[in-house]
Amino acid sequence: MIRVLLADDEHLIRGAVAALLGLEPDLKVVAEVGRGDEVAAAVAAHAPDVAVLDIEMPGADGLAVAEELHASGARCAVCILTSFGRPGYLRRAMSAGVRGFVAKDAPTDELASAIRKIHGGGRYLDAELAASAMAAGDNPLSERERDVLRLAGAGAETARIAADLHLSEGTVRNYLSTAMAKMGEPTRIRAARAAIDMGWI
């Protein structure tokens, strides 16, 4: 029996997925949580073989949770369930040791197959999500450009960004200018939004 934890803030979807997976003879949903910051405790308490995580959750997003589980040496395999085909998400998930990446609108039998495959040590990547990630290429932003754009996207002014990152205001403006050019956007806010949409910040 493969023990499964489900983490999704949409109660109806989580309940439906749990009920449908429960019909599979070799799968058992042992825990359900609605917040990302509840996952680690649930993993410790229920020892699932596979954690199925939604990306967009309150408390902590699914990718941050996957990174936390990976860093803590948790034994459960992680499968990300998402309606977002952002290329940066897939790359970040792979870096966090995620072995499954399934579209949220996939049939339940596809999710069940993914759970079985990653529990057996394999990988499962939704073909369309993988194709969009490959087509988008690598993240063009440097680490500093990502830091600056993330703060700018949150509404921080140049002086605040400079203080937070221990940079001069001129250096911040240069990073912003380069990031805007790379994203092909005329403003820092639009560049940040575009980078978020790609999953790059």
Side-chain angles (χ1 to χ4, degrees):
M1 188 68 73
I2 302 172
R3 297 166 59 81
V4 179
L5 175 145
L6 292 178
D8 191 318
D9 65 321
E10 295 183 62
H11 183 74
L12 285 174
I13 291 175
R14 190 175 73 242
V17 171
L20 291 167
L21 289 179
L23 298 175
E24 301 289 331
D26 57 339
L27 303 180
K28 181 180 182 182
V29 176
V30 296
E32 297 178 47
V33 298
R35 294 177 55 88
D37 52 8
E38 297 171 344
V39 173
V43 166
H46 300 280
D49 299 306
V50 177
V52 178
L53 311 176
D54 186 21
I55 280 192
E56 298 290 327
M57 289 187 289
D61 67 62
L63 291 179
V65 173
E67 289 165 346
E68 179 188 357
L69 292 175
H70 184 64
S72 69
R75 293 185 177 183
C76 66
V78 174
C79 179
I80 293 289
L81 190 62
T82 182
S83 54
F84 299 100
R86 296 171 181 167
Y89 280 176
L90 181 57
R91 293 172 186 275
R92 188 174 153 201
M94 300 299 280
S95 297
V98 172
R99 297 218 299 265
F101 213 86
V102 180
K104 208 167 188 178
D105 59 357
T108 308
D109 59 350
E110 184 179 335
L111 176 57
S113 295
I115 290 170
R116 292 184 187 104
K117 187 166 186 180
I118 68 174
H119 178 253
R123 291 188 183 277
Y124 186 93
L125 296 179
D126 177 272
E128 286 188 26
L129 294 177
S132 69
M134 289 171 61
D138 291 327
N139 185 344
L141 301 170
S142 70
E143 185 175 349
R144 264 305 189 210
E145 288 163 357
R146 291 196 298 272
D147 291 340
V148 167
L149 210 52
R150 191 178 294 114
L151 290 169
E157 296 297 328
T158 302
R160 175 64 189 270
I161 296 170
D164 284 358
L165 298 179
H166 308 291
L167 300 170
S168 72
E169 291 186 37
T171 300
V172 168
R173 282 191 286 273
N174 288 340
Y175 279 129
L176 283 171
S177 178
T178 305
M180 286 158 50
K182 287 180 177 178
M183 298 310 300
E185 296 291 350
T187 69
R188 60 175 71 185
I189 298 298
R190 284 177 55 176
R193 255 189 225 124
I196 289 167
D197 286 344
M198 294 299 285
W200 285 338
I201 63 171

Coordinates of all heavy atoms in Angstrom, one line a residue, residues 21-119:
L21 N -8.6 8.8 -5.3 CA -7.4 8.0 -5.1 C -7.7 6.8 -4.1 O -7.1 5.8 -4.2 CB -6.2 8.9 -4.5 CG -5.6 9.9 -5.5 CD1 -4.5 10.7 -4.7 CD2 -5.0 9.2 -6.7
G22 N -8.6 7.1 -3.2 CA -9.0 6.0 -2.3 C -9.6 4.8 -3.0 O -9.7 3.7 -2.4
L23 N -10.1 5.0 -4.2 CA -10.7 3.9 -4.9 C -9.6 3.0 -5.5 O -9.9 1.9 -6.0 CB -11.6 4.4 -6.1 CG -12.8 5.3 -5.6 CD1 -13.5 5.8 -6.8 CD2 -13.8 4.4 -4.8
E24 N -8.4 3.5 -5.6 CA -7.3 2.6 -6.1 C -6.9 1.6 -5.1 O -6.7 2.0 -3.9 CB -6.1 3.5 -6.5 CG -6.4 4.6 -7.5 CD -6.6 4.1 -8.9 OE1 -6.0 3.0 -9.2 OE2 -7.4 4.7 -9.7
P25 N -6.7 0.4 -5.5 CA -6.5 -0.7 -4.5 C -5.1 -0.6 -3.8 O -5.0 -1.1 -2.7 CB -6.5 -2.0 -5.3 CG -6.2 -1.6 -6.7 CD -6.8 -0.2 -6.9
D26 N -4.2 0.1 -4.4 CA -2.8 0.1 -3.8 C -2.5 1.5 -3.2 O -1.3 1.7 -2.8 CB -1.8 -0.3 -4.8 CG -1.8 0.6 -6.1 OD1 -2.9 1.2 -6.3 OD2 -0.8 0.6 -6.8
L27 N -3.4 2.4 -3.2 CA -3.2 3.8 -2.7 C -4.0 4.1 -1.5 O -5.2 3.8 -1.4 CB -3.4 4.8 -3.7 CG -2.7 4.7 -5.1 CD1 -3.1 5.9 -6.0 CD2 -1.2 4.7 -4.9
K28 N -3.4 4.8 -0.5 CA -4.2 5.2 0.7 C -3.8 6.6 1.1 O -2.6 6.9 1.4 CB -3.9 4.2 1.9 CG -4.6 4.6 3.2 CD -4.3 3.6 4.3 CE -5.1 3.9 5.5 NZ -4.7 3.1 6.7
V29 N -4.8 7.5 1.1 CA -4.5 8.9 1.5 C -4.5 8.9 3.1 O -5.5 8.6 3.7 CB -5.6 9.8 1.0 CG1 -5.4 11.2 1.5 CG2 -5.6 9.8 -0.5
V30 N -3.4 9.1 3.6 CA -3.2 9.1 5.1 C -3.3 10.5 5.8 O -3.4 10.6 7.0 CB -1.9 8.4 5.5 CG1 -1.9 6.9 5.0 CG2 -0.7 9.2 4.9
A31 N -3.2 11.5 5.0 CA -3.3 12.9 5.5 C -3.7 13.9 4.4 O -3.3 13.7 3.3 CB -1.9 13.3 6.2
E32 N -4.4 14.9 4.9 CA -4.8 16.0 4.0 C -4.5 17.3 4.7 O -4.9 17.4 5.9 CB -6.3 16.0 3.6 CG -6.7 14.7 2.8 CD -8.2 14.8 2.6 OE1 -8.7 15.8 2.1 OE2 -8.9 13.7 2.8
V33 N -3.9 18.3 4.1 CA -3.7 19.6 4.7 C -4.0 20.7 3.6 O -4.0 20.4 2.4 CB -2.2 19.8 5.2 CG1 -1.9 18.8 6.3 CG2 -1.2 19.7 4.0
G34 N -4.4 21.8 4.2 CA -4.8 22.9 3.3 C -3.8 24.1 3.2 O -4.0 25.1 2.5
R35 N -2.7 23.9 3.9 CA -1.7 25.0 3.9 C -0.3 24.4 3.8 O 0.0 23.3 4.3 CB -1.7 25.8 5.3 CG -3.0 26.5 5.6 CD -2.9 27.2 6.9 NE -1.8 28.0 7.1 CZ -1.7 29.3 6.8 NH1 -2.7 29.9 6.3 NH2 -0.6 30.0 7.0
G36 N 0.6 25.2 3.1 CA 1.9 24.7 2.9 C 2.7 24.5 4.1 O 3.5 23.6 4.3
D37 N 2.5 25.5 5.1 CA 3.2 25.4 6.3 C 2.8 24.3 7.3 O 3.3 24.1 8.4 CB 3.3 26.7 7.1 CG 1.9 27.3 7.3 OD1 0.9 26.6 7.0 OD2 1.8 28.5 7.7
E38 N 1.8 23.5 6.9 CA 1.3 22.4 7.7 C 1.9 21.0 7.2 O 1.7 20.0 7.8 CB -0.2 22.3 7.6 CG -0.9 23.4 8.3 CD -2.4 23.4 8.0 OE1 -2.9 22.7 7.1 OE2 -3.1 24.2 8.7
V39 N 2.6 21.1 6.0 CA 3.0 19.8 5.4 C 4.1 19.1 6.2 O 4.0 17.9 6.4 CB 3.5 20.1 3.9 CG1 4.1 18.8 3.3 CG2 2.4 20.6 3.1
A40 N 5.1 19.8 6.6 CA 6.3 19.2 7.3 C 5.8 18.4 8.5 O 6.2 17.3 8.8 CB 7.3 20.2 7.7
A41 N 4.9 19.0 9.3 CA 4.4 18.3 10.5 C 3.6 17.1 10.1 O 3.6 16.1 10.8 CB 3.5 19.3 11.4
A42 N 2.8 17.2 9.1 CA 1.9 16.1 8.6 C 2.8 15.0 8.1 O 2.5 13.8 8.3 CB 1.0 16.6 7.5
V43 N 3.9 15.3 7.4 CA 4.8 14.3 7.0 C 5.5 13.6 8.1 O 5.6 12.3 8.2 CB 5.9 14.9 6.1 CG1 7.1 13.9 5.8 CG2 5.3 15.3 4.7
A44 N 5.9 14.3 9.2 CA 6.5 13.7 10.4 C 5.5 12.8 11.1 O 5.8 11.8 11.6 CB 7.0 14.8 11.3
A45 N 4.2 13.3 11.1 CA 3.2 12.5 11.9 C 2.7 11.3 11.2 O 2.4 10.3 11.8 CB 2.0 13.4 12.2
H46 N 2.6 11.3 9.8 CA 1.9 10.3 9.1 C 2.8 9.4 8.2 O 2.4 8.4 7.6 CB 0.8 10.8 8.2 CG -0.3 11.5 9.0 ND1 -1.3 10.9 9.7 CD2 -0.5 12.8 9.3 CE1 -2.0 11.7 10.3 NE2 -1.6 12.9 10.1
A47 N 4.1 9.8 8.1 CA 5.1 9.1 7.3 C 4.6 8.6 5.9 O 4.6 7.5 5.6 CB 5.6 7.9 8.1
P48 N 4.1 9.6 5.1 CA 3.6 9.2 3.7 C 4.8 8.7 2.8 O 5.9 9.1 3.1 CB 3.0 10.5 3.2 CG 3.8 11.6 3.8 CD 4.1 11.0 5.2
D49 N 4.5 7.9 1.9 CA 5.5 7.5 0.9 C 5.6 8.6 -0.2 O 6.7 8.8 -0.7 CB 5.1 6.2 0.2 CG 5.0 5.0 1.2 OD1 6.0 4.8 1.9 OD2 3.9 4.4 1.3
V50 N 4.5 9.2 -0.5 CA 4.4 10.3 -1.5 C 3.6 11.5 -1.0 O 2.5 11.3 -0.5 CB 3.8 9.8 -2.8 CG1 3.7 10.9 -3.9 CG2 4.6 8.6 -3.4
A51 N 4.2 12.7 -1.2 CA 3.4 13.9 -0.8 C 3.0 14.6 -2.2 O 3.9 14.9 -3.0 CB 4.3 14.8 0.0
V52 N 1.8 14.8 -2.3 CA 1.2 15.5 -3.5 C 0.9 16.9 -3.1 O 0.1 17.2 -2.3 CB 0.0 14.8 -4.1 CG1 -0.6 15.5 -5.3 CG2 0.3 13.3 -4.5
L53 N 1.7 17.8 -3.7 CA 1.6 19.2 -3.3 C 1.1 20.1 -4.4 O 1.6 20.1 -5.5 CB 3.0 19.7 -2.9 CG 3.8 18.9 -1.9 CD1 5.2 19.5 -1.7 CD2 3.1 18.8 -0.6
D54 N 0.1 21.0 -4.1 CA -0.3 22.0 -5.0 C 0.8 23.1 -4.9 O 1.4 23.3 -3.9 CB -1.6 22.6 -4.5 CG -2.2 23.6 -5.5 OD1 -1.8 23.6 -6.7 OD2 -3.1 24.4 -5.1
I55 N 1.0 23.9 -6.0 CA 2.0 24.9 -6.0 C 1.4 26.1 -5.2 O 2.1 26.7 -4.3 CB 2.4 25.3 -7.4 CG1 3.4 24.3 -7.9 CG2 3.0 26.7 -7.4 CD1 4.1 24.7 -9.1
E56 N 0.2 26.6 -5.5 CA -0.3 27.8 -4.9 C -1.1 27.5 -3.6 O -2.2 27.0 -3.7 CB -1.2 28.5 -5.9 CG -0.6 29.0 -7.2 CD 0.4 30.1 -6.9 OE1 0.1 31.0 -6.1 OE2 1.4 30.2 -7.6
M57 N -0.4 27.7 -2.5 CA -1.1 27.5 -1.2 C -0.7 28.6 -0.2 O 0.4 29.1 -0.3 CB -0.6 26.1 -0.6 CG -1.1 24.9 -1.2 SD -0.6 23.4 -0.3 CE 1.2 23.4 -0.6
P58 N -1.6 28.9 0.8 CA -1.2 29.8 1.8 C -0.2 29.2 2.7 O 0.0 28.0 2.8 CB -2.5 30.1 2.5 CG -3.4 28.9 2.3 CD -3.0 28.4 0.9
G59 N 0.6 30.1 3.4 CA 1.6 29.6 4.4 C 2.9 29.4 3.7 O 3.9 29.9 4.2
A60 N 2.9 28.6 2.7 CA 4.2 28.3 1.9 C 3.7 27.7 0.6 O 2.8 26.8 0.6 CB 5.1 27.4 2.7
D61 N 4.3 28.1 -0.5 CA 3.9 27.5 -1.8 C 4.5 26.1 -1.9 O 5.5 25.7 -1.2 CB 4.3 28.3 -3.0 CG 5.7 28.5 -3.2 OD1 6.4 27.5 -3.5 OD2 6.3 29.6 -3.1
G62 N 4.0 25.3 -2.8 CA 4.4 23.9 -2.9 C 5.9 23.7 -3.2 O 6.5 22.7 -2.8
L63 N 6.5 24.6 -4.0 CA 7.9 24.5 -4.3 C 8.7 24.8 -3.1 O 9.7 24.1 -2.8 CB 8.3 25.5 -5.4 CG 7.7 25.1 -6.8 CD1 8.1 26.1 -7.9 CD2 8.1 23.7 -7.2
A64 N 8.3 25.8 -2.3 CA 9.1 26.1 -1.0 C 9.0 24.9 -0.1 O 10.0 24.5 0.6 CB 8.5 27.3 -0.4
V65 N 7.8 24.2 0.0 CA 7.6 23.0 0.8 C 8.5 21.9 0.3 O 9.1 21.2 1.1 CB 6.1 22.6 0.8 CG1 6.0 21.3 1.6 CG2 5.3 23.7 1.5
A66 N 8.5 21.7 -1.0 CA 9.4 20.6 -1.6 C 10.8 20.9 -1.2 O 11.6 19.9 -0.9 CB 9.2 20.6 -3.1
E67 N 11.3 22.1 -1.3 CA 12.7 22.5 -1.0 C 12.9 22.2 0.5 O 14.0 21.7 0.9 CB 12.9 23.9 -1.3 CG 13.0 24.2 -2.8 CD 12.9 25.6 -3.2 OE1 12.6 26.5 -2.4 OE2 13.2 25.9 -4.4
E68 N 11.9 22.5 1.4 CA 12.1 22.3 2.8 C 12.2 20.8 3.1 O 13.0 20.3 3.9 CB 10.9 22.9 3.5 CG 10.9 22.6 5.1 CD 9.6 23.1 5.7 OE1 8.7 23.6 5.1 OE2 9.5 22.9 7.0
L69 N 11.3 20.0 2.5 CA 11.3 18.5 2.7 C 12.7 17.9 2.2 O 13.3 17.1 2.8 CB 10.2 17.9 1.9 CG 8.8 18.2 2.5 CD1 7.7 17.5 1.6 CD2 8.6 17.6 3.9
H70 N 13.1 18.4 1.0 CA 14.4 17.9 0.5 C 15.6 18.3 1.4 O 16.4 17.4 1.7 CB 14.6 18.6 -0.9 CG 15.8 18.1 -1.6 ND1 15.9 16.8 -2.1 CD2 16.9 18.8 -2.1 CE1 17.1 16.7 -2.7 NE2 17.7 17.9 -2.7
A71 N 15.6 19.5 1.9 CA 16.7 19.9 2.8 C 16.7 19.2 4.1 O 17.7 18.9 4.7 CB 16.6 21.4 3.0
S72 N 15.5 18.8 4.6 CA 15.4 18.1 5.9 C 15.6 16.6 5.7 O 15.7 15.9 6.8 CB 14.0 18.3 6.5 OG 13.0 17.7 5.8
G73 N 15.8 16.1 4.5 CA 16.0 14.7 4.3 C 14.8 13.8 4.4 O 14.9 12.6 4.7
A74 N 13.6 14.4 4.3 CA 12.4 13.6 4.4 C 12.4 12.5 3.3 O 12.9 12.7 2.2 CB 11.2 14.5 4.1
R75 N 11.9 11.3 3.7 CA 12.0 10.2 2.9 C 10.9 10.1 1.8 O 11.0 9.3 0.9 CB 11.9 8.9 3.8 CG 13.1 8.7 4.6 CD 13.1 7.4 5.4 NE 14.3 7.2 6.2 CZ 14.6 6.2 6.9 NH1 13.7 5.2 6.9 NH2 15.7 6.1 7.6
C76 N 9.8 10.9 2.0 CA 8.7 10.8 1.0 C 9.1 11.4 -0.3 O 9.8 12.4 -0.4 CB 7.5 11.4 1.6 SG 7.6 13.2 1.8
A77 N 8.6 10.8 -1.4 CA 8.8 11.4 -2.7 C 7.8 12.5 -2.9 O 6.7 12.5 -2.2 CB 8.6 10.3 -3.8
V78 N 8.1 13.5 -3.7 CA 7.2 14.6 -3.9 C 6.7 14.7 -5.3 O 7.5 14.6 -6.3 CB 7.9 15.9 -3.5 CG1 7.1 17.2 -3.8 CG2 8.3 16.0 -2.0
C79 N 5.4 14.9 -5.4 CA 4.7 15.1 -6.7 C 4.1 16.5 -6.6 O 3.3 16.8 -5.7 CB 3.7 14.0 -7.0 SG 2.9 14.2 -8.5
I80 N 4.4 17.4 -7.6 CA 3.7 18.7 -7.7 C 2.5 18.6 -8.6 O 2.6 18.1 -9.7 CB 4.7 19.7 -8.2 CG1 5.9 20.0 -7.3 CG2 4.0 21.0 -8.5 CD1 5.6 20.7 -6.0
L81 N 1.4 19.1 -8.0 CA 0.2 19.2 -8.8 C -0.2 20.6 -9.1 O -0.3 21.4 -8.1 CB -0.9 18.5 -8.0 CG -2.3 18.2 -8.6 CD1 -2.1 17.2 -9.7 CD2 -3.3 17.7 -7.6
T82 N -0.2 21.0 -10.3 CA -0.4 22.5 -10.6 C -1.2 22.7 -11.9 O -1.2 21.9 -12.8 CB 1.0 23.1 -10.7 OG1 0.8 24.5 -11.0 CG2 1.8 22.5 -11.9
S83 N -1.8 23.9 -11.9 CA -2.5 24.4 -13.1 C -1.6 25.4 -13.8 O -2.0 25.9 -14.8 CB -3.8 25.0 -12.7 OG -3.6 26.0 -11.7
F84 N -0.4 25.6 -13.3 CA 0.5 26.6 -13.9 C 1.6 25.9 -14.6 O 2.3 25.1 -14.0 CB 1.1 27.5 -12.8 CG 0.1 28.3 -12.0 CD1 -0.3 27.9 -10.8 CD2 -0.5 29.4 -12.6 CE1 -1.3 28.6 -10.1 CE2 -1.4 30.2 -11.9 CZ -1.8 29.7 -10.6
G85 N 1.7 26.1 -15.9 CA 2.8 25.5 -16.7 C 4.0 26.4 -16.8 O 4.6 26.6 -17.9
R86 N 4.4 27.1 -15.7 CA 5.5 28.0 -15.8 C 6.8 27.3 -15.8 O 7.1 26.5 -15.0 CB 5.4 29.0 -14.6 CG 4.2 29.8 -14.6 CD 4.0 30.6 -13.3 NE 2.8 31.4 -13.3 CZ 2.3 31.9 -12.2 NH1 2.8 31.8 -11.1 NH2 1.1 32.6 -12.3
P87 N 7.6 27.6 -16.8 CA 8.9 26.8 -17.0 C 9.8 26.9 -15.8 O 10.5 25.9 -15.4 CB 9.5 27.4 -18.2 CG 8.8 28.8 -18.4 CD 7.5 28.6 -17.9
G88 N 9.9 28.1 -15.1 CA 10.7 28.2 -14.0 C 10.3 27.3 -12.8 O 11.2 26.8 -12.0
Y89 N 9.0 27.0 -12.7 CA 8.5 26.1 -11.7 C 9.1 24.7 -11.9 O 9.5 24.1 -10.9 CB 7.0 26.0 -11.7 CG 6.3 27.2 -11.1 CD1 4.9 27.2 -11.1 CD2 6.9 28.2 -10.4 CE1 4.2 28.3 -10.5 CE2 6.3 29.2 -9.8 CZ 4.9 29.2 -9.8 OH 4.2 30.3 -9.2
L90 N 9.1 24.2 -13.1 CA 9.5 22.9 -13.4 C 11.0 22.8 -13.0 O 11.5 21.8 -12.4 CB 9.3 22.5 -14.8 CG 9.7 21.1 -15.3 CD1 9.0 20.0 -14.4 CD2 9.4 20.9 -16.7
R91 N 11.8 23.7 -13.4 CA 13.2 23.7 -13.2 C 13.5 23.8 -11.7 O 14.4 23.0 -11.1 CB 14.0 24.8 -13.9 CG 13.9 24.6 -15.4 CD 14.4 25.9 -16.1 NE 14.3 25.7 -17.6 CZ 15.1 25.1 -18.4 NH1 16.2 24.5 -17.9 NH2 14.9 25.0 -19.6
R92 N 12.8 24.6 -11.0 CA 13.0 24.8 -9.5 C 12.6 23.5 -8.8 O 13.2 23.0 -7.9 CB 12.2 26.0 -9.0 CG 12.5 26.3 -7.6 CD 11.7 27.6 -7.2 NE 11.5 27.6 -5.8 CZ 10.5 28.4 -5.2 NH1 9.8 29.1 -5.9 NH2 10.3 28.3 -3.9
A93 N 11.5 22.9 -9.3 CA 11.0 21.6 -8.7 C 12.0 20.5 -8.8 O 12.3 19.8 -7.9 CB 9.7 21.2 -9.3
M94 N 12.6 20.4 -10.0 CA 13.6 19.4 -10.2 C 14.8 19.6 -9.3 O 15.4 18.7 -8.8 CB 14.1 19.4 -11.7 CG 12.9 19.1 -12.7 SD 12.1 17.5 -12.5 CE 13.3 16.5 -13.3
S95 N 15.2 20.9 -9.1 CA 16.3 21.2 -8.2 C 16.0 20.8 -6.8 O 16.9 20.5 -6.0 CB 16.7 22.7 -8.3 OG 17.1 23.0 -9.6
A96 N 14.7 20.8 -6.4 CA 14.3 20.5 -5.1 C 14.1 19.0 -4.9 O 13.6 18.6 -3.9 CB 13.1 21.3 -4.7
G97 N 14.5 18.2 -5.9 CA 14.3 16.7 -5.8 C 12.9 16.2 -6.1 O 12.6 15.1 -5.8
V98 N 12.0 17.1 -6.6 CA 10.7 16.7 -7.0 C 10.8 15.7 -8.1 O 11.5 15.9 -9.1 CB 9.8 17.9 -7.4 CG1 8.5 17.4 -8.0 CG2 9.6 18.8 -6.2
R99 N 10.0 14.5 -8.0 CA 10.1 13.5 -9.0 C 8.9 13.4 -9.9 O 8.9 12.7 -10.9 CB 10.4 12.1 -8.3 CG 11.7 12.1 -7.6 CD 12.4 10.8 -7.7 NE 11.6 9.7 -7.1 CZ 11.8 9.2 -5.9 NH1 12.6 9.8 -5.1 NH2 11.0 8.2 -5.5
G100 N 7.8 14.1 -9.5 CA 6.6 14.1 -10.3 C 6.0 15.5 -10.5 O 6.1 16.4 -9.6
F101 N 5.5 15.8 -11.7 CA 5.0 17.1 -12.0 C 3.8 16.9 -12.9 O 3.9 16.5 -14.0 CB 6.0 17.9 -12.7 CG 6.0 19.4 -12.5 CD1 6.6 20.0 -11.4 CD2 5.3 20.2 -13.3 CE1 6.6 21.3 -11.2 CE2 5.2 21.6 -13.1 CZ 5.9 22.1 -12.0
V102 N 2.6 17.0 -12.3 CA 1.3 16.6 -13.0 C 0.4 17.9 -13.1 O 0.3 18.6 -12.1 CB 0.6 15.5 -12.2 CG1 -0.7 15.1 -12.9 CG2 1.5 14.3 -12.0
A103 N -0.2 18.0 -14.2 CA -1.2 19.1 -14.4 C -2.4 18.9 -13.5 O -2.9 17.7 -13.4 CB -1.6 19.2 -15.9
K104 N -3.0 19.9 -13.0 CA -4.1 19.8 -12.0 C -5.3 19.3 -12.7 O -6.2 18.7 -12.1 CB -4.4 21.2 -11.4 CG -5.0 21.1 -10.0 CD -4.9 22.4 -9.3 CE -5.4 22.3 -7.8 NZ -5.3 23.5 -7.1
D105 N -5.4 19.5 -14.0 CA -6.6 19.1 -14.7 C -6.4 17.7 -15.3 O -7.3 17.2 -16.1 CB -7.1 20.1 -15.8 CG -6.0 20.3 -16.8 OD1 -4.8 19.7 -16.7 OD2 -6.2 21.1 -17.8
A106 N -5.4 17.0 -14.9 CA -5.1 15.6 -15.5 C -6.1 14.7 -14.8 O -6.6 14.9 -13.7 CB -3.7 15.2 -15.1
P107 N -6.5 13.6 -15.6 CA -7.4 12.6 -15.0 C -6.8 11.9 -13.8 O -5.5 11.9 -13.6 CB -7.5 11.5 -16.1 CG -7.0 12.2 -17.4 CD -6.0 13.3 -16.9
T108 N -7.6 11.5 -12.8 CA -7.1 10.9 -11.6 C -6.3 9.7 -11.8 O -5.3 9.4 -11.1 CB -8.3 10.5 -10.7 OG1 -9.2 11.7 -10.6 CG2 -7.8 10.1 -9.3
D109 N -6.6 8.9 -12.9 CA -5.8 7.7 -13.1 C -4.3 8.1 -13.6 O -3.4 7.4 -13.3 CB -6.4 6.8 -14.2 CG -6.7 7.4 -15.5 OD1 -6.5 8.6 -15.6 OD2 -7.0 6.7 -16.4
E110 N -4.2 9.3 -14.2 CA -2.8 9.8 -14.5 C -2.1 10.1 -13.3 O -0.9 9.8 -13.1 CB -2.9 11.0 -15.5 CG -1.6 11.5 -15.9 CD -1.6 12.6 -16.9 OE1 -2.7 12.8 -17.6 OE2 -0.7 13.4 -16.9
L111 N -2.8 10.8 -12.3 CA -2.1 11.1 -11.0 C -1.7 9.8 -10.3 O -0.6 9.7 -9.7 CB -3.0 12.0 -10.2 CG -2.5 12.3 -8.8 CD1 -1.2 13.0 -8.8 CD2 -3.6 13.1 -8.0
A112 N -2.6 8.9 -10.3 CA -2.4 7.6 -9.6 C -1.1 6.9 -10.3 O -0.3 6.4 -9.5 CB -3.6 6.7 -9.7
S113 N -1.0 6.9 -11.6 CA 0.1 6.4 -12.3 C 1.4 7.1 -11.9 O 2.4 6.5 -11.7 CB -0.1 6.4 -13.8 OG -1.2 5.6 -14.2
A114 N 1.3 8.4 -11.8 CA 2.5 9.2 -11.4 C 2.9 8.9 -10.0 O 4.1 8.7 -9.8 CB 2.1 10.7 -11.5
I115 N 2.0 8.7 -9.1 CA 2.3 8.4 -7.7 C 3.0 7.0 -7.7 O 4.0 6.9 -7.0 CB 1.0 8.4 -6.8 CG1 0.5 9.8 -6.6 CG2 1.3 7.7 -5.5 CD1 -0.8 9.9 -6.0
R116 N 2.5 6.1 -8.4 CA 3.1 4.7 -8.4 C 4.5 4.8 -9.0 O 5.5 4.2 -8.5 CB 2.3 3.8 -9.3 CG 0.9 3.4 -8.7 CD 0.2 2.4 -9.5 NE -1.2 2.2 -9.0 CZ -2.3 2.7 -9.5 NH1 -2.2 3.4 -10.6 NH2 -3.4 2.5 -9.0
K117 N 4.7 5.6 -10.1 CA 6.0 5.6 -10.7 C 7.0 6.3 -9.9 O 8.1 5.7 -9.7 CB 5.9 6.4 -12.1 CG 7.1 6.3 -12.9 CD 6.9 6.8 -14.3 CE 8.1 6.6 -15.2 NZ 7.9 7.1 -16.5
I118 N 6.7 7.4 -9.2 CA 7.7 8.1 -8.4 C 8.0 7.3 -7.1 O 9.1 7.3 -6.6 CB 7.4 9.5 -8.1 CG1 6.2 9.7 -7.2 CG2 7.2 10.3 -9.4 CD1 5.9 11.2 -6.8
H119 N 6.9 6.6 -6.6 CA 7.1 5.7 -5.4 C 8.1 4.6 -5.8 O 8.9 4.2 -4.9 CB 5.8 5.1 -4.9 CG 6.0 4.2 -3.8 ND1 5.8 2.9 -3.9 CD2 6.3 4.5 -2.5 CE1 6.0 2.3 -2.7 NE2 6.3 3.3 -1.8

